[in-house]
Amino acid sequence: MKRILLRSGKSPYDVLSVEEALHRDVIATNSGNLIFSDAAHKILQTPDTEVASNGIGTDVTAAARINEEYDAFVVPLANAFRPSFEARLKRLTRLISKLRIPVVVLGVGAQTGVTYDPARLRPMERSVREFCAAVLERSSSIGVRGEFTEQYLRDMGFRDVEVIGCPSMFLYGAELDVRKRVPALTAESRIAVNGSHSAVQKQGLDRIIERTHARYPNLRFVGQNLSDARQLHWRDLSDPNSLVTAMPTHPDHPMYREDKVRVYIDPVTWIDDLRGFDFSFGSRIHGNIAALLAGTPATVLCGDSRTLELCRYFEIPHRRLDQAAKDPQAADPARLYEEADLGGLVGNHRERFDRFTGFLDKNGLRNTFTHGDGGAAFEERMRSLSFPPGIRPWNDADLASLSSRFGWLHAQVGELTQANAKLRKELARSRKEQGALPAPATSVYRRARRVVGRPLRRALQSGKQ
């Protein structure tokens, strides 16, 4: 039995309460991460291959154990080539450099603007080079999301680069059934909209959402950030994102008060809910991929290279957000729905799937659609599990809405009390054992602090008077 270690926030089979999922941040700050990691898990699971999740955190000291217990390390990534991810990319590189097993990267992307100007990425070029070099020493090629990332790496001199898109689009293999179920959208149509805080705050998506909310009473906003989820479930406004009050996940927003907002911690419930919608649009790539996987037409409003290159590769209907924001009427869902051409998305899907599985074959990875049951066992097991529904705004004060939250808090207090008692016992035992030993000499630092500290504190106190 081959064992694959998969970089993912959690296994698709892990059923967690909302409170526990948010506490542990299994979505790695963005629930879209679970869509592509769940897809990778399903794709790689075959009768002779076991897949295990290692979590999102990178423990460099675990390299020896990984070498001993696993046959390959598979790393699905999104926009990892961006300045804010550089520290984590370096840690991942250090871990990979210590591995003796194959390491395969599925769909990494570079993030810049829609003009594909790589200037903002130059300061982290060394980190990207070191990461790619470490990966390519342990695999035949590196899989990237689209045209921009491919050219970005080729300009650095890397040749073993393949555009494979994102594994999320291959959750159902070579099949992708997306069709317009109604001839046109009306005011009564069920529409999902999504977007990031930056798109709402800086790129004009707030005006598009406001206009759509006024015209479509069955509109629902689907958030993805951890801060979105905590605002819905706990009304937690401690994150800097809470300053963006135009975000529908903010408690002051009318869509929050009208219960027209959701965040999902499991892709299965996310996709299932979107099956009942007529259309999805917004700036979130995986928010709209979730709709496409549900068979619901979608249009992406692209605000950066990571969304644009994926849309171009998969032929997902899209428009540039900066252009749509100038004329919100042009981003009206009815108009986007009418203009959405699904022909290339659906018609060329099998060709892209074959390219993706060819990449897996080249890197020694079998897949369930070619070498297994097509994911039947995976789907059967998922159907046997009961996942929590999407997180709703906390607008109620009834006993049911309070019991789960305070029940979890009570359990946390109990666990912390036990842990504290254990630490107190260990501290007391340590002090008792040290009591038989001569007291350690006071360090020079401590003696100096005593001499200087008292006068300094008196001086500070006198200065306040």
Side-chain angles (χ1 to χ4, degrees):
M1 175 72 73
K2 183 173 184 176
R3 300 194 72 212
I4 290 177
L5 184 64
L6 182 71
R7 183 182 184 272
S8 60
K10 74 179 185 72
S11 164
Y13 307 130
D14 289 343
V15 180
L16 303 176
S17 68
V18 170
E19 294 82 8
E20 185 65 19
L22 301 188
H23 178 64
R24 288 169 46 185
D25 185 18
V26 295
I27 65 174
T29 75
N30 185 336
S31 55
N33 293 321
L34 290 182
I35 292 187
F36 62 75
S37 65
D38 276 19
H41 193 116
K42 175 184 176 180
I43 292 166
L44 296 172
Q45 182 179 294
T46 67
D48 60 356
T49 304
E50 176 187 348
V51 182
S53 170
N54 78 322
I56 292 296
T58 301
D59 182 5
V60 179
T61 64
R65 178 183 60 81
I66 295 172
N67 284 327
E68 179 68 25
E69 297 180 6
Y70 297 95
D71 301 293
F73 182 37
V74 177
V75 187
L77 290 169
N79 52 329
F81 300 156
R82 70 182 193 275
S84 61
F85 195 79
E86 184 175 11
R88 282 170 284 180
L89 187 70
K90 288 180 176 179
R91 286 198 299 274
L92 191 55
T93 302
R94 289 198 297 272
L95 172 62
I96 291 171
S97 298
K98 293 177 179 293
L99 297 181
R100 300 190 306 272
I101 59 176
V103 176
V104 183
V105 169
L106 299 182
V108 66
Q111 182 179 341
T112 186
V114 291
T115 61
Y116 287 180
D117 182 0
R120 71 187 292 264
L121 302 176
R122 289 195 185 106
M124 66 176 300
E125 184 173 313
R126 179 177 177 181
S127 298
V128 174
R129 284 180 180 278
E130 291 175 350
F131 172 80
C132 292
V135 169
L136 289 172
E137 287 177 2
R138 294 160 179 82
S139 60
S140 298
S141 58
I142 187 167
V144 300
R145 287 164 68 117
E147 59 190 0
F148 169 67
T149 307
E150 178 189 31
Q151 190 60 51
Y152 172 65
L153 294 185
R154 289 191 182 280
D155 287 345
M156 289 188 196
F158 293 105
R159 293 292 173 262
D160 296 319
V161 180
E162 296 184 56
V163 177
I164 60 171
C166 177
S168 58
M169 286 292 289
F170 305 117
L171 180 65
Y172 302 123
E175 304 301 320
L176 184 65
D177 185 12
V178 184
R179 64 187 72 182
K180 295 180 181 180
R181 294 187 286 266
V182 294
L185 297 186
T186 68
E188 301 306 313
S189 296
R190 295 195 69 197
I191 299 168
V193 63
N194 51 71
S196 66
H197 290 81
S198 62
V200 167
Q201 185 180 33
K202 302 175 182 178
Q203 296 178 284
L205 185 61
D206 56 330
R207 298 191 297 275
I208 295 172
I209 293 174
E210 182 180 7
R211 184 182 185 279
T212 307
H213 176 228
R215 288 165 171 75
Y216 296 89
N218 294 318
L219 180 71
R220 177 181 292 178
F221 182 86
V222 181
Q224 291 183 207
N225 274 26
L226 178 66
S227 61
D228 293 331
R230 287 175 171 167
Q231 285 181 13
L232 294 191
H233 194 69
W234 294 113
R235 284 182 168 256
D236 179 1
L237 301 179
S238 62
D239 191 279
N241 283 338
S242 66
L243 297 175
V244 187
T245 56
M247 195 76 171
T249 53
H250 193 283
D252 291 343
H253 197 280
M255 291 186 70
Y256 189 109
R257 297 192 296 270
E258 295 165 9
D259 192 34
K260 294 180 178 179
V261 189
R262 297 290 185 275
V263 174
Y264 298 88
I265 57 173
D266 296 288
V268 61
T269 53
W270 190 354
I271 294 169
D272 282 347
D273 276 9
L274 287 175
R275 296 187 200 281
F277 283 75
D278 298 303
F279 184 59
S280 173
F281 78 110
S283 68
R284 290 288 198 182
I285 185 65
H286 285 102
N288 291 303
I289 285 178
L292 297 175
L293 294 172
T296 299
T299 295
V300 180
L301 302 180
C302 299
D304 53 35
S305 63
R306 60 175 173 166
T307 53
L308 184 58
E309 69 174 352
L310 267 181
C311 287
R312 285 178 171 171
Y313 179 67
F314 283 109
E315 298 179 82
I316 298 171
H318 63 280
R319 291 197 60 184
R320 280 179 47 168
L321 177 55
D322 58 347
Q323 296 172 352
K326 293 176 183 177
D327 181 14
Q329 185 175 354
D332 185 283
R335 184 167 174 180
L336 294 176
Y337 183 85
E338 180 184 5
E339 294 174 349
D341 181 359
L342 304 172
L345 169 72
V346 176
N348 297 325
H349 184 72
R350 180 175 290 275
E351 177 185 341
R352 287 183 285 263
F353 174 72
D354 290 341
R355 190 176 301 124
F356 177 74
T357 55
F359 169 83
L360 296 180
D361 290 342
K362 183 185 297 184
N363 284 282
L365 297 175
R366 297 162 70 85
N367 74 86
T368 186
F369 299 103
T370 306
H371 311 102
D373 60 3
F378 176 93
E379 296 294 346
E380 181 179 2
R381 184 170 176 184
M382 293 295 285
R383 285 193 297 270
S384 72
L385 301 172
S386 180
F387 294 93
I391 305 172
R392 303 173 66 162
W394 191 7
N395 290 319
D396 304 319
D398 60 280
L399 185 61
S401 70
L402 296 173
S403 61
S404 66
R405 291 170 171 86
F406 286 108
W408 183 82
L409 289 172
H410 179 73
Q412 286 293 106
V413 170
E415 291 176 9
L416 290 172
T417 300
Q418 291 178 0
N420 190 41
K422 182 179 179 181
L423 288 172
R424 285 179 178 274
K425 288 181 180 179
E426 292 176 354
L427 181 60
R429 184 168 59 250
S430 176
R431 284 175 174 171
K432 186 176 180 180
E433 292 172 353
Q434 290 180 4
L437 300 173
T442 304
S443 68
V444 174
Y445 167 76
R446 289 184 180 276
R447 290 199 300 271
R449 193 174 68 173
R450 287 175 183 173
V451 172
V452 178
R454 291 190 187 98
L456 182 59
R457 283 195 295 272
R458 283 197 295 267
L460 290 173
Q461 288 170 356
S462 64
K464 294 178 181 178
Q465 296 175 351

